[in-house]
């Protein structure tokens, strides 16, 4: 059985030990993973040990239980808080309720009462986790959102954001029956702007229903004849149809022509449909869709209210070679994050597409230009020199002059990508080291400020607290608060040994406005009070 983690906070050590000793924690579903004697110390530990529940007294030095609860609510809202106190005062209870404290109990703590409370909290935690894991609820939510998920997938498909290997699995998961065809063709369905109609059609009184009516009409015509899917993109409504052995693109165009006539006749709506080039791979549906959009651009020439095929409007090319957004994303991600194997694989895929294409020499050049442009933009984003992309033996124009020598292109692109990756890694490392140096300098300059915090440093450095905490600990081996404490105490020792300042003056000079808390932190570090430390050093 997994036990929930609990932390005890009370300024009386005997009270903490007594509670820990008397309660059968595992029977109640918990394990005690830490304790603290005041709110400040507790907050430092909470960041590291991440308890599920904090059991705390109200009255404590340096930071009371309610102030600590408020800080926990801001930084760790999921932690459950139980407050116990010897003070039965309404104002305490009222504030505790505002802080979403789940239990408020009076001292002395009764073993049976506390055990019952812990079991109740455990049951609540169990229920929360069960709800989050509840498969039936997740399935219900999934089914409810399936149309939206399906539409996101189809939009990714036509915009080149899909890994080809994932497509068959996604089609099956989202119940889209267009897989396994000989080829596919996309159509863009455009509703022309409002027109004056001779007679009132009830549909025109609710214009938002017109696209649905048009889609229903298209479905009625195509169902049973073609396997297809329809959805909406940011541009137009989109149709992707599978062309099987028993179907033809010509037959599809004829049906779409008929649909344009019927929408005009029945709905009194003018619909123009652009039909793109067919593609033998569904991963290239984006190419078909964008050519369908291009076809709609010829409405001024071909007229509205019918089907416009891109193959009728533009010269036919046997093949096109395009560095699409999916390939660009894969290459850039590999170059940015590595490792070398991923970079070589991305470059290999890029060059293989060239090898498989049989196109005009200029298309190879345009393709390589697009690849180099993507890498150039990446170097500019990271403030690198464009010259870092090329070695002494290779330049931009030499690559364009040898686009048909794919092995040469592969080798040079690999070298280029690996070089950029290495320089970026060095820059990231240098940037991190610079951030840590700046943070240390800022701490050294501002440690007397009692309000010095991670958030304050991060505002100065213009970085997020989460990132700062991670890199600071990685680079220094210490959490920020531990490093700041060391700086303050080192300065305190120096002042104790070189000045005659009173302890409370030294405390204020090193960032501790409360002398008692300074003495507590100092003794915890050195084993003796500041006064005794000074006496031993001078004796």
């Amino acid at each position: 059985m997994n036990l929930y983690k609990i932390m005890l906070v009370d300024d009386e050590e005997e009270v903490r030990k007594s509670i820990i000793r008397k309660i059968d924690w595992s029977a109640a579903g918990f394990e005690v993973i830490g304790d603290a004697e005041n709110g400040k110390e507790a907050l430092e530990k909470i960041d590291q040990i991440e308890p599920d529940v904090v059991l705390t007294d109200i009255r404590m030095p340096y930071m009371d239980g309610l102030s600590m609860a408020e800080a926990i609510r801001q930084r760790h809202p999921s932690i459950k808080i139980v407050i116990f106190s010897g003070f039965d005062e309404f104002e305490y209870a009222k504030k505790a309720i505002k802080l979403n404290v789940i239990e408020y109990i009076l001292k002395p703590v009764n073993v049976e009462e506390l055990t019952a409370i812990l079991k109740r909290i455990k049951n609540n935690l169990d229920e929360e986790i069960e709800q989050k894991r509840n498969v039936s609820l997740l399935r219900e939510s999934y089914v409810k959102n399936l149309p939206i998920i399906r539409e996101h997938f189809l939009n990714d498909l036509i915009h080149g954001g899909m890994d080809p290997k994932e497509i068959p699995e996604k089609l099956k998961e989202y119940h889209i029956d267009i897989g396994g065809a000989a080829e596919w063709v996309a159509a863009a369905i455009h509703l022309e702007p409002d027109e004056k109609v001779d007679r009132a059609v009830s549909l025109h009184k609710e214009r938002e229903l017109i696209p649905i009516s048009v889609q229903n009409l298209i479905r009625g015509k195509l169902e049973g004849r073609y396997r297809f899917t329809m959805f909406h993109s940011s541009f137009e409504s989109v149709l992707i149809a599978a062309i099987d052995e028993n179907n033809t693109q010509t037959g599809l165009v004829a049906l779409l022509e008929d649909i344009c006539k019927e929408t005009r006749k029945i709905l009194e709506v003018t619909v123009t449909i652009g039909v793109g080039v067919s593609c033998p791979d569904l991963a290239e549906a984006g190419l078909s869709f964008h050519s369908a959009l291009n076809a709609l651009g010829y409405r001024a020439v071909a007229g509205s209210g019918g089907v416009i095929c891109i193959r009728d409007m533009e010269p036919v090319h046997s093949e096109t070679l395009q560095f699409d957004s999916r390939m660009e994303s894969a290459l850039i991600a590999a170059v940015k994050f590595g490792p070398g194997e991923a970079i070589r694989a991305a470059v290999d895929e890029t060059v293989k597409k060239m090898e498989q294409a049989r196109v005009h020499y200029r298309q190879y050049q345009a393709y390589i230009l697009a690849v180099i442009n993507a890498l150039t933009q990446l170097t500019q984003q990271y403030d690198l020199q464009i010259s870092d992309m090329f070695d002494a033996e290779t330049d931009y124009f030499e690559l364009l002059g040898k686009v048909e020598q794919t092995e040469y292109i592969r080798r040079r692109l690999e070298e280029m990508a690996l070089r950029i990756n290495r320089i970026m890694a060095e820059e990231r490392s240098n940037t991190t080291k610079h951030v840590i140096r700046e943070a240390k300098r800022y701490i050294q300059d501002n440690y007397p400020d009692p309000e010095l915090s991670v958030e304050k440093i991060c505002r100065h450095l213009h970085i997020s607290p989460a990132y700062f905490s991670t890199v600071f600990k990685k680079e220094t081996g210490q959490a920020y608060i531990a490093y700041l404490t060391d700086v303050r105490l080192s300065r305190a020792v120096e002042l104790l040994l070189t000045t005659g300042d009173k302890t409370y003056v030294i405390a204020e000079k090193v960032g501790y406005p409360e002398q008692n808390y300074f003495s507590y932190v100092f003794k915890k570090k050195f084993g003796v009070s500041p006064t005794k430390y000074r006496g031993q050093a001078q004796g």
Side-chain angles (χ1 to χ4, degrees), residues 4 52 77-80 124-139 141:
Y4 292 107
D52 300 299
S78 63
I79 291 177
K80 309 295 182 190
N124 290 338
L125 288 168
D126 287 344
E127 286 176 13
E128 282 184 16
I129 292 173
E130 184 58 33
Q131 281 185 343
K132 289 172 183 175
R133 292 177 178 171
N134 191 302
V135 174
S136 61
L137 286 176
L138 290 173
R139 174 58 59 183
S141 175

Side-chain angles (χ1 to χ4, degrees), residues 269-480:
V269 173
T270 301
V271 170
T272 307
I273 301 177
V275 177
V277 296
S278 61
C279 54
D281 188 339
L282 190 52
E284 297 173 0
L287 183 62
S288 181
F289 169 66
H290 287 291
S291 62
L293 286 179
N294 287 340
L296 286 177
Y298 286 98
R299 293 200 305 283
V301 177
S304 301
V307 175
I308 305 173
C309 295
I310 192 67
R311 65 187 181 189
D312 296 335
M313 308 308 297
E314 294 182 353
V316 177
H317 296 289
S318 59
E319 244 184 303
T320 56
L321 179 61
Q322 186 179 28
F323 187 58
D324 60 36
S325 57
R326 183 195 65 80
M327 294 184 69
E328 180 178 344
S329 297
L331 179 61
I332 295 304
V335 173
K336 283 170 73 173
F337 306 113
E341 293 78 8
I343 293 172
R344 293 182 185 91
V347 169
D348 189 55
E349 184 187 359
T350 301
V351 176
K352 272 185 178 176
K353 189 159 185 179
M354 290 179 65
E355 292 173 334
Q356 292 165 357
R358 296 291 180 267
V359 294
H360 192 275
Y361 186 85
R362 285 194 298 273
Q363 280 204 50
Y364 287 125
Q365 289 184 321
Y367 181 80
I368 290 299
L369 276 172
V371 175
I372 294 173
N373 182 55
L375 293 173
T376 302
Q377 288 182 10
L378 179 62
T379 60
Q380 290 173 341
Q381 286 173 15
Y382 282 79
D383 255 351
L384 308 181
Q385 297 296 319
I386 295 179
S387 58
D388 290 334
M389 291 172 57
F390 302 97
D391 59 20
E393 300 176 6
T394 312
D395 64 23
Y396 188 81
F397 296 104
E398 186 178 0
L399 277 174
L400 294 179
K402 296 182 178 180
V403 290
E404 290 180 311
Q405 299 177 28
T406 53
E407 278 307 313
Y408 171 83
I409 295 295
R410 179 182 280 104
R411 187 170 68 255
R412 291 305 182 202
L413 284 181
E414 264 187 24
E415 291 169 356
M416 194 184 303
L418 289 167
R419 191 178 300 113
I420 296 170
N421 171 263
R422 186 179 65 255
I423 294 169
M424 286 175 66
E426 291 169 358
E427 285 292 318
R428 272 196 292 266
S429 177
N430 292 337
T431 301
T432 300
K433 286 182 172 62
H434 175 71
V435 165
I436 300 305
R437 280 198 303 272
E438 283 297 308
K440 286 181 175 180
R441 186 179 298 118
Y442 190 82
I443 291 169
Q444 292 287 348
D445 292 342
N446 295 276
Y447 68 84
D449 178 6
E451 300 299 321
L452 186 60
S453 64
V454 169
E455 289 75 14
K456 203 166 189 177
I457 292 175
C458 290
R459 282 196 297 273
H460 172 73
L461 297 174
H462 305 293
I463 58 176
S464 74
Y467 172 74
F468 171 76
S469 297
T470 301
V471 298
F472 191 90
K473 180 118 187 228
K474 185 178 177 182
E475 290 293 322
T476 66
Q478 281 185 295
Y480 154 76

Side-chain angles (χ1 to χ4, degrees), residues 24-79:
D24 187 348
W25 297 99
S26 60
F30 290 89
E31 62 173 330
V32 179
I33 58 162
D35 65 310
E37 57 185 277
N38 59 70
K40 285 192 174 183
E41 182 187 356
L43 285 176
E44 293 172 16
K45 288 187 174 181
I46 285 169
D47 289 337
Q48 298 170 7
I49 63 180
E50 299 179 351
D52 300 299
V53 178
V54 173
L55 180 63
T56 179
D57 189 13
I58 282 188
R59 290 290 184 93
M60 296 181 293
Y62 317 130
M63 177 184 280
D64 64 35
L66 291 178
S67 299
M68 181 188 71
E70 192 166 7
I72 291 173
R73 274 287 156 265
Q74 293 172 356
R75 288 153 63 171
H76 306 281
S78 63
I79 291 177

Side-chain angles (χ1 to χ4, degrees), residues 26-220:
S26 60
F30 290 89
E31 62 173 330
V32 179
I33 58 162
D35 65 310
E37 57 185 277
N38 59 70
K40 285 192 174 183
E41 182 187 356
L43 285 176
E44 293 172 16
K45 288 187 174 181
I46 285 169
D47 289 337
Q48 298 170 7
I49 63 180
E50 299 179 351
D52 300 299
V53 178
V54 173
L55 180 63
T56 179
D57 189 13
I58 282 188
R59 290 290 184 93
M60 296 181 293
Y62 317 130
M63 177 184 280
D64 64 35
L66 291 178
S67 299
M68 181 188 71
E70 192 166 7
I72 291 173
R73 274 287 156 265
Q74 293 172 356
R75 288 153 63 171
H76 306 281
S78 63
I79 291 177
K80 309 295 182 190
I81 301 170
V82 178
I83 284 183
F84 55 87
S85 172
F87 300 89
D88 187 10
E89 296 180 13
F90 178 68
E91 286 303 316
Y92 281 121
K94 191 165 66 173
K95 187 171 182 183
I97 291 168
K98 283 185 179 178
L99 292 171
N100 201 24
V101 171
I102 58 172
E103 295 285 350
Y104 183 92
I105 54 181
L106 294 177
K107 282 183 176 180
V109 178
N110 180 285
V111 172
E112 290 74 18
E113 181 186 1
L114 182 54
T115 301
I117 288 170
L118 289 170
K119 288 181 177 179
R120 189 159 62 242
I121 294 170
K122 177 194 179 297
N123 290 336
N124 290 338
L125 288 168
D126 287 344
E127 286 176 13
E128 282 184 16
I129 292 173
E130 184 58 33
Q131 281 185 343
K132 289 172 183 175
R133 292 177 178 171
N134 191 302
V135 174
S136 61
L137 286 176
L138 290 173
R139 174 58 59 183
E140 184 181 327
S141 175
Y142 173 79
V143 170
K144 184 178 178 181
N145 290 290
L146 186 57
I148 299 170
I149 298 170
R150 184 188 290 123
E151 192 148 303
H152 276 306
F153 159 69
L154 290 167
N155 272 280
D156 284 345
L157 181 64
I158 62 170
H159 293 303
M162 284 296 303
D163 183 341
K165 295 174 185 175
E166 293 182 7
I167 293 173
E169 182 184 336
K170 295 292 184 185
L171 291 175
K172 186 177 179 181
E173 181 180 350
Y174 302 144
H175 309 297
I176 303 171
D177 183 24
I178 58 171
E183 58 183 6
W184 292 263
V185 64
I189 302 153
H190 176 75
L191 271 67
E192 299 294 341
D194 291 358
E195 300 173 351
K196 291 182 179 179
V197 292
D198 295 333
R199 54 192 176 81
V201 177
S202 59
L203 186 61
H204 286 263
K205 296 174 185 176
E206 297 184 65
R207 293 289 300 177
E208 68 274 6
L209 298 179
I210 291 178
I212 299 171
S213 301
V214 171
Q215 287 194 15
N216 287 341
L217 205 153
I218 294 172
R219 284 194 179 91

Side-chain angles (χ1 to χ4, degrees), residues 485-493 512 518 521-522 525-526:
T485 301
D486 282 352
V487 170
R488 284 172 167 169
L489 293 184
S490 295
R491 179 58 178 154
V493 167
Y512 293 104
F518 166 67
V521 174
F522 192 96
K525 170 85 173 174
F526 296 106

